[in-house]
Amino acid sequence: MQEAVQQFLPESAALQLIVVNNSADAITILKQKHVDLILTEIEIGGIDGWRLARLVRANVLKCEEKTPIILLSATYCERITETTARAYAIDLVLPKEHIAQIPQIVARFQQAGHRSQQRQTILIVEDDADIAELAKRIVLPNYDVEIAVTGPQAVDMYRRSGSYALVLLDVMLPELNGQEVLAEIMQLNPKQSVVVMTAHGGIELAEQMMLQGAADFVNKPFRAEQLRRVIDVAAMREDFLISNEQFKQKVQQLAGSEERYRDLSEVHQRVLDHVSTVLMELTSAGTIKFANRAWYDLTAYSAVADPASFLHFLRPADQTLVRAQLAAICAGDLEQWRAELQLAQPNFWMSLNMAALPDKISGVTVTLENIDERKKAEQELQHLAMHDPLTGLYNRHFSDRELMRIAALASDKQLHALMYIDLDHFKVVNDSHGHSQGDAILREVANRLAMGLSADDLLCRVGGDEFVVISPDKTLEQANELATRLCVALDAQPYRLMDKVYTLSCSIGVTIVDGSQPDAQVYLQQADIALYVAKAKGRNRAHCYSVSDAASDKLRNSLQWAQQLREAIVNDHIVMHFQPIMCVRTAEIVYYEALVRLNLNGNIVYPGEFIQALEQVEDINLLDHQVIGKTIEMMSRHPVLKKVAINLSAQAFRDERLVPWIEQTLLKYQVAPSRVVFELTETASLNNIAGTCAMFNQLNRLGCEFSIDDFGTGFSTFSYIKQLPASSIKIDGSFVKNMHQDAMDFVLVKAMAEIAHALGRKSVAEFVENEQILTLLQQLGVDYAQGYHISKPLPIELLEKTF
């Protein structure tokens, strides 16, 4: 071991080594010289390494008693070694297999400048300060001490520490008694050694705590020798238990190793009896000097002109490579070479390993393993990783990778087209006939698209009904012509599903990859924007992206609004204002309408500037959820908001998560559902009466109310009003604001109020901007009024001061 130590720790200018072969020589030197560190084995002559450490610590030698000592051990059992090292004040015991760590360990000791042996800590749990101080003085010479005076404090300290060398636990403690504290400690660490301190007469309680897991007990008042003895016994108990467990594990490991060795020996014997691995010996020229039966079985049907040459079984490119490696090994420039090669005859993938023959025998040994099945499985997995299993087309992963490749190569002289394709109203097919029929149509769509493309074009399926085409060497005009032909190809013939016939079209966004963008994903965003524009223009068409295009710019603006909304949500920059709604008859404020604003860079932005943009990119549901959550949370904190109307977007009835979200939020903030009225515009309701009815029936079952907003703008019918479970109807403000000047508006407001009352609904008039309008509404019997004449929408702070 001495040679190994010197190998890893050579003498240098910064480090002087004194090397001796036995303990007698070591003691002679240590009587004469001061040293900074002692590195010793256990067996070093008449005095072993343990007793040498005892002499150093006894301060009978020239070196300091605190000199760091590292003990090297050929055998190592963790707990036994740690315990013995602690007893002999050894700083570190290092297993022989970790000898390479010596330079770092020595450097650490040099930097520390003192011994690294860490003292163990005892936790004393005692509410009597005198007894705690006495116990502390008794154990302090050998241990560090922490003191807890209450049960909860003890549990908290134990949770933070994780373990102690020992816990001295009083039985009678404030808040939590000793048994309860012991139970908590045992739950956290069943192996923790705990000594119970009990007054005379508490033996039965001590027995119970021993059954709970305590290691020992001591009666109070105690003597110093008595407490030290109990502590030593308890500490040794933990050492014994851990050592026993470690020894048990090592025995099990040895037994397992022996069993594995027997199994491995049997397997190797069977392999030798029926070896299928090819073994051969080659000359430097590749001539086969020896080969086992497995090689001849493998090549039995090969028609190789010279079967004595291994190289003739390889592909031409691999022949050159293998010949060079053979020469390098035979010349002594290379010890071993591994490769995976495909034999030309027979057509097999093999794992090849070549190595020089032992001693001075000329030649090379070769082993060949048949990996044909694995290579084919890898190729199949690679195909699956890059292809869509439904259509067989390339998938999004491959599409993104290929887009990055062509974007890096593109320039203003080498243009490529990128097309983003989305099927129009494909969801209707899936919803009405199920996904299996929808999958059949997707396969047919893939076939039609592929037939309209050239061999150079790349077609990928990147989503449910979304496809991407990368077409090389095309101008924007050429790409637009190709995209238009693809639209025609999908729409030209109907799709037949069982006894039904469907027509299906697509919208395509087109952009040019010209190398101008540092991120390839920007091109995909451009194609996506152009796709949205194509849909907005009526679908079944292609649209080309252009920076100067007004439609693309409008959609890009919508996407920017959507991003700003997300940032506003994350940063809690959504602001709610509330406008009072007054009972016309009593002039009492009956509820408020919640109105959303955005605080962007300190500026308040009103809904008219961002709602339409969010609806265009179908991101409005995000705002619905945030407005509902924030409003209900504010209702729970501000009593003035006794009842609030919350507007829902036109897409709300398609959001399956909305009603569960509302129910969860009401429960979270303990707000009664009857305090919430949800408003949906008449136009949005008319677009999907069945969906609207279904959603608001669910809200009514929760206990919430429902109101039709902007009534009168959607050419309503009595049948429609009757179907919707609304508790109130809000007359559109465009009729109300001029009713005192326009006789027709007055008649329409009167008619709508009468319709509402006839159907048992409350009527609400908005845009009430003067006293004259309010008086007319009172004459017509309108129930509620809302408008600037009553109050503008206010932030909650002003609302609380005003109302």
Side-chain angles (χ1 to χ4, degrees):
M1 192 177 292
Q2 182 184 121
E3 292 78 10
V5 171
Q6 290 182 285
Q7 175 189 350
F8 288 108
L9 197 63
E11 186 171 357
S12 65
L15 188 69
Q16 180 186 0
L17 299 182
I18 302 174
V19 181
V20 295
N21 296 318
N22 57 69
S23 56
D25 293 341
I27 291 172
T28 300
I29 290 174
L30 292 174
K31 284 181 177 179
Q32 301 170 358
K33 285 192 173 186
H34 166 84
V35 297
D36 296 311
L37 185 142
I38 298 171
L39 185 65
T40 178
E41 293 182 74
I42 296 175
E43 299 298 333
I44 53 172
I47 297 179
D48 58 36
W50 301 112
R51 290 185 289 165
L52 176 64
R54 182 66 80 191
L55 287 174
V56 172
R57 298 296 179 237
N59 201 20
V60 298
L61 304 175
K62 182 72 174 178
C63 64
E64 293 184 8
E65 61 173 313
K66 294 184 178 180
T67 302
I69 300 174
I70 301 175
L71 190 69
L72 299 175
S73 175
T75 58
Y76 186 80
C77 186
E78 294 85 345
R79 190 64 177 198
I80 295 174
T81 307
E82 292 167 5
T83 304
T84 311
R86 199 161 58 240
Y88 283 88
I90 300 290
D91 292 274
L92 177 67
V93 178
L94 189 69
K96 181 179 180 180
E97 58 266 25
H98 295 168
I99 200 168
Q101 299 177 8
I102 284 180
Q104 294 87 349
I105 295 170
V106 170
R108 191 163 66 244
F109 276 108
Q110 285 180 311
Q111 291 173 2
H114 56 78
R115 291 177 53 210
S116 67
Q117 181 74 19
Q118 294 184 351
R119 287 163 59 88
Q120 293 183 301
T121 303
I122 287 180
L123 174 62
I124 299 175
V125 187
E126 173 61 68
D127 60 330
D128 188 316
D130 293 336
I131 295 177
E133 183 61 29
L134 174 62
K136 177 180 177 180
R137 287 201 306 270
I138 292 172
V139 302
L140 200 55
N142 299 317
Y143 297 90
D144 288 335
V145 175
E146 293 181 10
I147 297 176
V149 296
T150 68
Q153 182 188 9
V155 173
D156 182 63
M157 291 174 66
Y158 195 89
R159 282 201 180 98
R160 284 187 281 107
S161 172
S163 67
Y164 287 91
L166 188 72
V167 177
L168 286 176
L169 177 62
D170 186 22
V171 172
M172 305 303 295
L173 291 169
E175 300 184 52
L176 286 179
N177 63 37
Q179 283 186 290
E180 292 169 328
V181 172
L182 179 61
E184 292 281 351
I185 291 175
M186 289 297 104
Q187 187 174 1
L188 293 170
N189 181 8
K191 295 183 179 180
Q192 175 64 57
S193 286
V194 178
V195 172
V196 176
M197 297 186 294
T198 178
H200 290 299
I203 297 301
E204 292 184 1
L205 188 55
E207 290 177 358
Q208 293 175 15
M209 295 180 72
M210 297 273 286
L211 291 173
Q212 279 184 259
D216 206 340
F217 70 93
V218 60
N219 286 319
K220 295 190 296 184
F222 43 74
R223 297 185 304 278
E225 301 79 18
Q226 179 188 14
L227 183 60
R228 289 194 188 99
R229 181 182 59 79
V230 170
I231 289 174
D232 290 341
V233 170
M236 286 190 291
R237 169 186 175 274
E238 183 184 13
D239 291 334
F240 172 76
L241 291 174
I242 295 175
S243 301
N244 188 57
E245 181 64 26
Q246 291 174 347
F247 183 72
K248 175 184 174 183
Q249 291 174 1
K250 290 186 180 294
V251 169
Q252 291 173 343
Q253 290 173 0
L254 288 172
S257 298
E258 184 180 355
E259 184 177 352
R260 287 194 297 274
Y261 175 80
R262 286 199 303 269
D263 293 342
L264 188 61
S265 176
E266 292 174 3
V267 169
H268 284 176
Q269 188 61 50
R270 289 196 297 271
V271 170
L272 290 174
D273 291 342
H274 306 283
V275 65
S276 60
T277 300
V278 172
L279 305 171
M280 61 174 62
E281 182 183 338
L282 303 180
T283 66
S284 58
T287 302
I288 300 173
K289 293 174 62 178
F290 164 79
N292 67 345
R293 183 177 182 84
W295 170 250
Y296 296 108
D297 290 341
L298 181 67
T299 60
Y301 302 100
S302 298
V304 175
D306 183 10
S309 173
F310 173 68
L311 297 177
H312 286 186
F313 289 88
L314 304 177
R315 298 176 183 274
D318 291 336
Q319 289 182 18
T320 304
L321 177 63
V322 173
R323 185 179 288 110
Q325 302 305 319
L326 277 170
I329 292 175
C330 290
D333 299 330
L334 188 67
E335 292 185 2
Q336 193 175 36
W337 182 66
R338 295 176 181 272
E340 292 184 356
L341 303 174
Q342 192 172 12
L343 299 183
Q345 294 191 30
N347 187 2
F348 268 97
W349 276 95
M350 307 294 290
S351 174
L352 177 145
N353 182 23
M354 294 195 312
L357 286 167
D359 301 326
K360 296 183 179 180
I361 303 174
S362 177
V364 175
T365 61
V366 175
T367 62
L368 291 174
E369 292 283 351
N370 186 339
I371 59 170
D372 200 55
E373 289 187 8
R374 175 171 68 80
K375 291 297 288 187
K376 288 177 179 177
E378 288 176 357
Q379 291 168 353
E380 184 177 351
L381 287 173
Q382 186 176 14
H383 181 274
L384 290 174
M386 295 294 179
H387 288 76
D388 168 44
L390 176 65
T391 61
L393 301 176
Y394 287 110
N395 59 16
R396 178 180 287 277
H397 177 70
F398 185 85
S399 170
D400 290 345
R401 194 178 73 174
E402 190 64 13
L403 180 59
M404 289 177 62
R405 188 185 69 81
I406 67 162
L409 299 175
S411 66
D412 55 356
K413 295 182 180 179
Q414 187 177 10
L415 304 175
H416 308 294
L418 176 66
M419 304 177 207
Y420 207 130
I421 304 171
D422 184 78
L423 302 184
D424 299 329
H425 305 301
F426 178 72
K427 189 174 184 298
V428 176
V429 178
N430 261 353
D431 290 346
S432 57
H433 283 274
H435 290 283
S436 61
Q437 296 298 322
D439 289 349
I441 284 188
L442 286 173
R443 283 191 288 267
E444 176 61 24
V445 166
N447 290 335
R448 292 192 190 184
L449 289 174
M451 290 175 63
L453 298 171
S454 69
D456 294 330
D457 297 325
L458 176 69
L459 174 62
C460 308
R461 182 185 176 217
V462 296
D465 59 343
E466 297 175 343
F467 299 83
V468 161
V469 174
I470 299 175
S471 188
D473 301 320
K474 279 193 174 53
T475 63
L476 189 62
E477 293 76 14
Q478 293 170 331
N480 188 42
E481 290 176 5
L482 175 58
T484 302
R485 290 199 302 271
L486 293 177
C487 285
V488 172
L490 292 193
D491 188 45
Q493 295 181 357
Y495 298 80
R496 298 184 181 276
L497 290 178
M498 303 174 67
D499 58 340
K500 291 190 178 294
V501 177
Y502 285 90
T503 58
L504 195 65
S505 62
C506 72
S507 301
I508 304 180
V510 183
T511 193
I512 289 298
V513 181
D514 57 5
S516 63
Q517 299 298 332
D519 186 357
Q521 288 299 308
V522 174
Y523 296 112
L524 199 61
Q525 292 172 5
Q526 293 175 354
D528 196 23
I529 289 173
L531 170 64
Y532 272 103
V533 175
K535 287 183 175 292
K537 288 186 173 182
R539 305 177 189 267
N540 195 17
R541 67 189 65 215
H543 183 82
C544 296
Y545 176 84
S546 171
V547 176
S548 59
D549 177 39
S552 297
D553 186 64
K554 181 179 179 182
L555 184 62
R556 189 164 51 250
N557 182 53
S558 298
L559 292 172
Q560 289 173 354
W561 270 121
Q563 180 60 32
Q564 290 190 47
L565 173 64
R566 288 193 182 94
E567 291 177 2
I569 290 174
V570 171
N571 299 318
D572 194 22
H573 288 168
I574 282 183
V575 178
M576 300 307 302
H577 286 185
F578 300 90
Q579 187 173 28
I581 298 174
M582 184 184 77
C583 175
V584 174
R585 183 174 54 83
T586 65
E588 177 189 0
I589 303 302
V590 289
Y591 65 101
Y592 300 88
E593 180 178 4
L595 300 167
V596 64
R597 284 90 170 90
L598 291 184
N599 184 346
L600 299 181
N601 301 320
N603 298 318
I604 296 297
V605 182
Y606 291 87
E609 298 182 51
F610 60 84
I611 292 294
Q612 186 178 3
L614 290 175
E615 288 177 339
Q616 190 173 3
V617 295
E618 299 181 356
D619 217 357
I620 196 69
N621 287 346
L622 185 64
L623 184 63
D624 279 333
H625 284 242
Q626 186 66 12
V627 167
I628 292 169
K630 195 170 188 69
T631 301
I632 293 175
E633 184 269 335
M634 292 179 70
M635 291 175 69
S636 70
R637 291 189 294 109
H638 300 282
V640 69
L641 300 175
K642 53 189 174 182
K643 190 170 187 177
V644 177
I646 303 174
N647 292 287
L648 295 177
S649 69
Q651 282 87 10
F653 68 87
R654 295 200 299 265
D655 186 356
E656 296 178 354
R657 299 174 302 158
L658 184 63
V659 175
W661 164 254
I662 292 170
E663 183 176 12
Q664 176 186 345
T665 307
L666 289 169
L667 287 172
K668 178 180 178 181
Y669 294 109
Q670 293 296 296
V671 172
S674 59
R675 294 173 57 193
V676 181
V677 180
F678 288 102
E679 293 188 358
L680 187 66
T681 64
E682 178 188 15
T683 305
S685 304
L686 280 170
N687 286 337
N688 191 326
I689 294 177
T692 304
C693 286
M695 184 181 68
F696 279 100
N697 279 328
Q698 294 179 61
L699 290 174
N700 281 338
R701 282 195 291 272
L702 284 181
C704 301
E705 294 183 24
F706 164 43
S707 177
I708 301 171
D709 198 5
D710 299 340
F711 183 68
T713 60
F715 305 102
S716 310
T717 67
F718 288 107
S719 174
Y720 152 72
I721 296 296
K722 185 179 178 180
Q723 288 181 56
L724 291 176
S727 59
S728 60
I729 294 172
K730 182 175 284 189
I731 302 169
D732 186 67
S734 62
F735 303 111
V736 176
K737 65 181 179 180
N738 293 317
M739 65 180 290
H740 61 301
Q741 298 173 336
D742 189 318
M744 183 60 70
D745 282 346
F746 177 83
V747 171
L748 289 173
V749 172
K750 180 176 183 292
M752 284 184 274
E754 290 173 351
I755 290 171
H757 292 158
L759 295 173
R761 313 286 201 265
K762 295 289 186 181
S763 56
V764 185
E766 57 183 359
F767 283 27
V768 179
E769 299 182 354
N770 55 56
E771 184 66 25
Q772 191 177 356
I773 294 174
L774 185 60
T775 301
L776 291 174
L777 293 173
Q778 189 173 16
Q779 293 173 6
L780 295 178
V782 173
D783 297 294
Y784 303 130
Q786 174 183 6
Y788 278 16
H789 179 63
I790 301 165
S791 173
K792 291 182 178 182
L794 300 173
I796 189 64
E797 297 81 11
L798 285 179
L799 193 76
E800 288 180 323
K801 292 179 181 179
T802 308
F803 298 95

